Structure formats: C-alpha cells, structure tokens
Amino acid sequence: MNTQTSGAARAAPRAGAAVPGLALDNVTCTFRSAAGKASYTAVKDVNLTVGDGEFVSVVGPTGCGKSTLLNVSAGLLEPSSGTVRVFGEPLVGMNPHAGYMFQAESLMPWRTALDNVIVGLEFRGVPRAEATARGQDWLQRVGLGAHGHRYPHQMSGGMRKRAALAQTLIMNPKIILMDEPFSALDIQTRQLMENELLDIWSADRKSVLFITHDLEEAISLSDRVIVLSAGPGTHPIGEFSIDLPRPRDVSEVRLTPEFVRLHDEIWHTMKEEVLKGYVQSQQK
Amino acid sequence: MSRASKNRRGIADLPSAVLQIPIVCGLIGLWYGLTETAVLPKFFFGEPFKVFGVLWHWFTSGEIFPHLGVTLVETVLAFVFGALLGLVIGLWLALNPTASRLADPYIKAANAMPRVVLAPIFAVWFGLGIWSKVALGVTLVFFIVFFNVYQGIREVSPVLLANARVLGANARQLLRTVYLPSATSWVFSSLHTSVGMAFVGAVVGEYLGSARGVGYLILQAEGVFDINTVFAGMLVLTAFALVLDQAVGVVEKRLLVWRPTHGETEKL
C-alpha cells in the first residue's frame, strides 16, 4: 500500500479524535445471483476508515462495487462478513449518524422541494412550524430559497441535487455518504456544486465518504483519496493524502503543479485497474 | 369526426365545434328523415322530436332529478368503496409476498368472472334499493384499482425507499410517506376508467331491478315499448357520463399537480 502522510497542518479537528467516524473492518459482500447457484463477491476484505471530520474520496473503475461500500456504511446492506464501526460502536441495523446522498433521483416526486427537505425532520417528529423554518433556512443555504414550492419535475437537475443535499444535511448527520452525487450534472454546474459542498463542509466539519469515478473531483475535494481495484472482489489498492491547502476552489486547484503531480501519481496506480475493469465490462 | 377535417385542408383550421355540431345535426336529421319516410319503423326507432319532448318534460317538470340523484349517489358510493377496498387490499398484497402468492389464483378467477351475473345475487342480498347497485359497482371498480395499486407498489423506486430509511423512517412512516402516496397516484391515474365502471355498475344494477334511477326509467319505458323514452334515457346517461368525466378531469388536475406533463418542465 502506497501511503503518504501529509505534513501540511490541517485546520480540521481531526487530529484530536482517535476514534474514526466510520471504520470498515475486513468487510466482504457476496451476492447470490438470481439463479441461486453462482455467487458474486462485490467487495472483499475491505479495510477503510474515515476520521472524524475527514473528507475521504473513493475512486475506482466502473462497476467495482463502490456503491456497495456506501450501502454497507449506511446500514442498508449487511456485509457477508466483517464489521462496520461507527464512532467505535459496531453497527447494527441502520446507521443513525449517516446521511446518504444517492446517485439516482431520490426526491419524492409528490412533495415540493421544501416538503422534501423537511421529510427527515418529520420522521423525527419535529413540529411542523419548526421544521418549515429550518427547511427554509437550508433551502436558502443551497441557493433554493425562492423555489421551495416547486415539485421535483419543475426543477432542473442541479436544483434537484441541491434539494437532495439540503435534505441530507438538515438532519445534521455526523457522517455523510455521497455516491457520485454530481455525476449527472454538466461540468460547470458540477464545479459550482463542488465548491458549495466544500463551503458547507468547511463551516461544520463532518466525516465524508465521497464516491466518484472522477479522479480530478476526488483530488480537488478530499483530504485523502482511496483507489479501489477492479471487481469482482474489490479492495483498496492505494491510499493518498491530499495536502493541498484549504480553502480550495475546485476549478483553480486543478491548475496547481501539486495537483498535477498527485493526479499523475494516483492515475498511475489506477490505470491498470481501469483497463482491467474495461476488459471485464467488454466480456460481460 | 376528424375525417371531415382531413378531406379538405382549409377546414382543418376551424374550431372543432364548428365541425362537430353539423355532424350531430346531420345524424339527427338522418334519423328524422328515415323514420318520417317510414324507411325505419317509428315503433322500433322512435322519433327525434318526441325524444326531445320527453327530455323537455323531464327537465322542466324536474321529474328526472331524483332519478339522476340516485344514479349519482350509487356511482359515487361504488367508486369510493371500490377504490378504498382496492387500495387497502392492493397495498396489503403488494407488501406481503406470502399473502399475494396465496391469493393470486383467487384474484385471477374473480377478475375473470363476468361480474354482471352477480347482480341478481346482490339484489337478493341487499334488496332493490341503492346498495345492490353499489355492490355491483364495487366489484367492477375494485379490480381496476387493485391491479393498478398492486403494480404501482411493486414498482416504487428502491432509491426512494432507501432514502426514506436513511432519513430515519420507520415501517409506518415508510407506508405513509412513500407507499401510500405512490399507490394513490396510481389510483388517480385510473380514475377515468374506474369512475366510468362505477357508473356502469350503477346503471346496469338499476336496469336489472330497481325502484328508482335513470336505469329504472329505461327499464319501465322498455316494458311498455315506449322507445322514445328509452332513447331519452340513453341521452341523459350519455350526457351525465360526459359531465362526470369532466369533473374527474378537474379533480385529477388538482390532485396530480406534482406530475410532469409533456412540455411543462420549467427550465431556469
């Protein structure tokens, strides 16, 4: 494993926290296929930690089981073997500290933006008036202040993602799981959203596990980038600390020599796996 | 109706009503001509002006309104009970695979049965009042709503469910905020068909034995070979069905405001 420790002092309160926010210990996930005989091991012996307040990205070739890791972390999926620890406690059932931003559309089409944002508070039994006030505040923060009355089909893809972000963050989760949240957006909207995400994150540092297939996105956002092997039996094959100074602007940071050096180094590790993944997807 | 507009290009630009009204006038004229010249016997085909006379009498004397009222009440009750039953049982079977597996052949058999044959049994069970008609309407509405809800629930987006669970929904909240709205949207998408079926149930029930209702008027007139009144009853039912369909359209528009319609997506 290819680990570098960054010397740059991070403003994060991470140093003090010995217990990681999220830790996967030897997690293996095997799925039985529809026929019932053959089984498919999506991820195998994965060890992965996200420190308290740390922003970790996971990159890997397509179809390598990245989403499986997030589902396991959220408690939506029980691993075949291995354990998940949340702030040191073994995870049973749903992860109460996790917020999850899905790759696919996750807003309820029959609720307005505001009603979607506050649905989690509703589940918790927060009184309607208070929930609405907090929802309005969050809509403001993601730049949708004037659009709370819109239904999802009346919003653009970027607006829906903002609403989904507010829906996740209003619950004040300690761990945020993000599954290629911006992959469906065009490049300009995407960089705007990435900067906004960094703003919100730096104001109130949470642990973030961010999954992407875009290496540039991973480097520009993260404290640490983890590279996964091609599936089946995906596992981490490299880990890189990103010691670029913060605050960062995602479009500017991409032009720095340090960024280019990191990109080269990580890409070198990734390339072989991406090719493997590509060949496999051709054979399927 | 659109055939007229296809023949010549120029008239395609006229408002539809301008083209449609002459068609209905022409048909009535044809009817009048054929019966007056005795090409068609008046005894079997009636006379348009006498039919309008009957309609005029019904509406000016107010004689028709109690009958229309009864048919409307039966239709509404049949729809409400049929839809509720279909919604509850559809939800239950969709969320409970074991129950669904056990019930499957019976549901299929019950749906395959021509349910109009139940009318005599309902008349015996519930009498000649409105409830035997409501029961018949319910059997017709139930299956439409049931199959729609059942399919709708099984196709609820797994991402939506996972998202609600991550946000902390328990089983009851999941039912209330995801399954139920999703199921009701399917009920509403079948609204036109199911309200139409409730109406069919009410009228057929009345026709097979009743003491009131538009179907009863038709039955009585047929019994004494008063063909003009039969036609008048048919016209009233047709107009009533059209009004009902319009009303459903308005309700649908209100309730499904969150649904995207073609070309309506707003871009910012």
Side-chain angles (χ1 to χ4, degrees):
Chain A
M1 226 180 243
N2 211 332
T3 311
Q4 293 190 339
T5 335
S6 104
R10 232 171 267 126
R14 188 187 149 218
V19 183
L22 181 72
L24 307 188
D25 296 334
N26 284 313
V27 165
T28 300
C29 286
T30 304
F31 294 97
R32 208 174 296 155
S33 75
K37 301 261 179 194
S39 60
Y40 174 80
T41 303
V43 295
K44 195 170 180 354
D45 299 329
V46 171
N47 289 294
L48 189 156
T49 59
V50 182
D52 193 8
E54 190 185 21
F55 198 127
V56 176
S57 284
V58 172
V59 292
T62 109
C64 76
K66 298 186 291 264
S67 302
T68 306
L69 288 179
L70 283 194
N71 288 339
V72 165
S73 308
L76 287 168
L77 188 70
E78 209 182 324
S80 308
S81 65
T83 50
V84 180
R85 256 181 259 278
V86 180
F87 293 103
E89 301 286 321
L91 177 63
V92 183
M94 296 295 295
N95 185 341
H97 298 295
Y100 194 156
M101 227 184 127
F102 293 84
Q103 183 181 8
E105 296 288 344
S106 60
L107 296 178
M108 298 177 188
W110 47 82
R111 282 177 173 246
T112 60
L114 178 65
D115 284 342
N116 261 297
V117 169
I118 64 173
V119 71
L121 297 178
E122 214 179 293
F123 292 150
R124 259 188 210 169
V126 175
R128 174 84 196 176
E130 189 198 331
T132 311
R134 281 167 67 183
Q136 197 55 48
D137 179 47
W138 266 104
L139 282 173
Q140 214 83 47
R141 286 166 81 170
V142 297
L144 288 179
H147 303 297
H149 62 283
R150 281 176 191 263
Y151 287 94
H153 82 271
Q154 297 169 318
M155 300 193 281
S156 66
M159 290 166 77
R160 286 200 287 267
K161 283 296 172 201
R162 284 161 203 263
L165 185 64
Q167 187 189 49
T168 302
L169 294 180
I170 199 171
M171 302 303 285
N172 199 19
K174 290 182 180 154
I175 304 164
I176 304 172
L177 308 168
M178 303 183 103
D179 189 359
E180 304 194 16
F182 309 137
S183 63
L185 302 179
D186 61 89
I187 189 73
Q188 289 85 2
T189 315
R190 192 169 171 167
Q191 292 191 348
L192 276 175
M193 291 286 297
E194 286 165 4
N195 275 334
E196 275 172 39
L197 174 65
L198 279 186
D199 273 356
I200 290 170
W201 173 76
S202 58
D204 176 16
R205 295 219 168 174
K206 321 261 189 199
S207 306
V208 179
L209 184 55
F210 190 97
I211 285 199
T212 176
H213 57 256
D214 180 346
L215 184 52
E216 291 193 19
E217 184 178 46
I219 299 172
S220 50
L221 293 175
S222 316
D223 293 322
R224 196 147 55 90
V225 172
I226 293 170
V227 180
L228 292 184
S229 72
T234 298
H235 55 275
I237 49 167
E239 199 177 322
F240 302 86
S241 276
I242 310 298
D243 42 13
L244 300 168
R246 289 188 192 270
R248 300 177 192 161
D249 179 293
V250 293
S251 46
E252 281 165 22
V253 79
R254 285 169 204 216
L255 308 173
T256 61
E258 180 62 8
F259 182 95
V260 176
R261 189 189 63 73
L262 279 163
H263 188 279
D264 274 355
E265 192 182 345
I266 303 174
W267 176 242
H268 186 74
T269 313
M270 253 181 97
K271 198 160 75 183
E272 210 175 318
E273 297 302 322
V274 170
L275 286 174
K276 253 191 243 169
Y278 179 70
V279 169
Q280 276 167 7
S281 69
Q282 295 269 300
Q283 284 167 347
K284 270 171 202 167
Chain B
M1 266 177 252
S2 62
R3 199 182 301 159
S5 60
K6 272 179 197 161
N7 285 346
R8 268 181 256 149
R9 209 164 271 170
I11 60 172
D13 303 327
L14 293 170
S16 323
V18 173
L19 304 166
Q20 286 162 347
I21 289 170
I23 292 174
V24 71
C25 291
L27 285 173
I28 293 170
L30 189 69
W31 180 15
Y32 180 74
L34 289 175
T35 49
E36 279 304 304
T37 55
V39 174
L40 296 174
K42 284 180 183 172
F43 183 73
F44 294 122
F45 291 89
E47 292 163 81
F49 287 104
K50 289 197 175 156
V51 170
F52 294 129
V54 174
L55 288 173
W56 180 259
H57 170 70
W58 274 351
F59 283 95
T60 49
S61 68
E63 220 174 86
I64 190 77
F65 295 117
H67 295 288
L68 263 181
V70 166
T71 306
L72 177 65
V73 167
E74 288 163 356
T75 304
V76 169
L77 287 177
F79 170 73
V80 169
F81 287 128
L84 277 181
L85 209 61
L87 183 63
V88 170
I89 296 188
L91 263 173
W92 178 52
L93 289 189
L95 296 175
N96 191 335
T98 318
S100 155
R101 204 158 44 100
L102 292 178
D104 184 58
Y106 304 110
I107 296 274
K108 279 196 180 126
N111 186 39
M113 182 180 63
R115 283 173 303 275
V116 175
V117 301
L118 292 173
I121 301 179
F122 288 147
V124 172
W125 288 353
F126 303 112
L128 290 179
I130 64 167
W131 293 107
S132 56
K133 287 84 194 167
V134 172
L136 185 63
V138 164
T139 62
L140 296 173
V141 171
F142 169 80
F143 286 96
I144 300 170
V145 173
F146 169 81
F147 284 116
N148 265 297
V149 168
Y150 186 77
Q151 196 62 26
I153 290 297
R154 311 204 99 190
E155 281 168 16
V156 168
S157 150
V159 176
L160 227 54
L161 286 172
N163 192 33
R165 286 177 63 202
V166 170
L167 290 169
N170 59 30
R172 208 170 46 81
Q173 290 166 329
L174 217 54
L175 186 71
R176 199 170 54 77
T177 58
V178 183
Y179 285 118
L180 214 52
S182 183
T184 31
S185 83
W186 282 83
V187 173
F188 289 125
S189 68
S190 60
L191 208 57
H192 285 279
T193 333
S194 46
V195 169
M197 275 301 184
F199 185 59
V200 168
V203 172
V204 170
E206 284 168 2
Y207 183 72
L208 291 175
S210 61
R212 285 177 111 181
V214 181
Y216 163 79
L217 287 181
I218 294 178
L219 178 64
Q220 289 299 307
E222 196 195 348
V224 296
F225 285 100
D226 179 1
I227 231 59
N228 290 324
T229 307
V230 173
F231 274 115
M234 279 164 50
L235 287 177
V236 168
L237 286 180
T238 308
F240 187 67
L242 285 175
V243 170
L244 209 58
D245 202 59
Q246 287 287 319
V248 167
V250 171
V251 171
E252 193 180 30
K253 215 171 172 188
R254 270 274 171 87
L255 291 170
L256 293 184
V257 62
W258 56 268
R259 275 221 170 160
T261 41
H262 262 300
E264 197 223 359
T265 315
E266 293 171 70
K267 287 271 179 262
L268 289 181

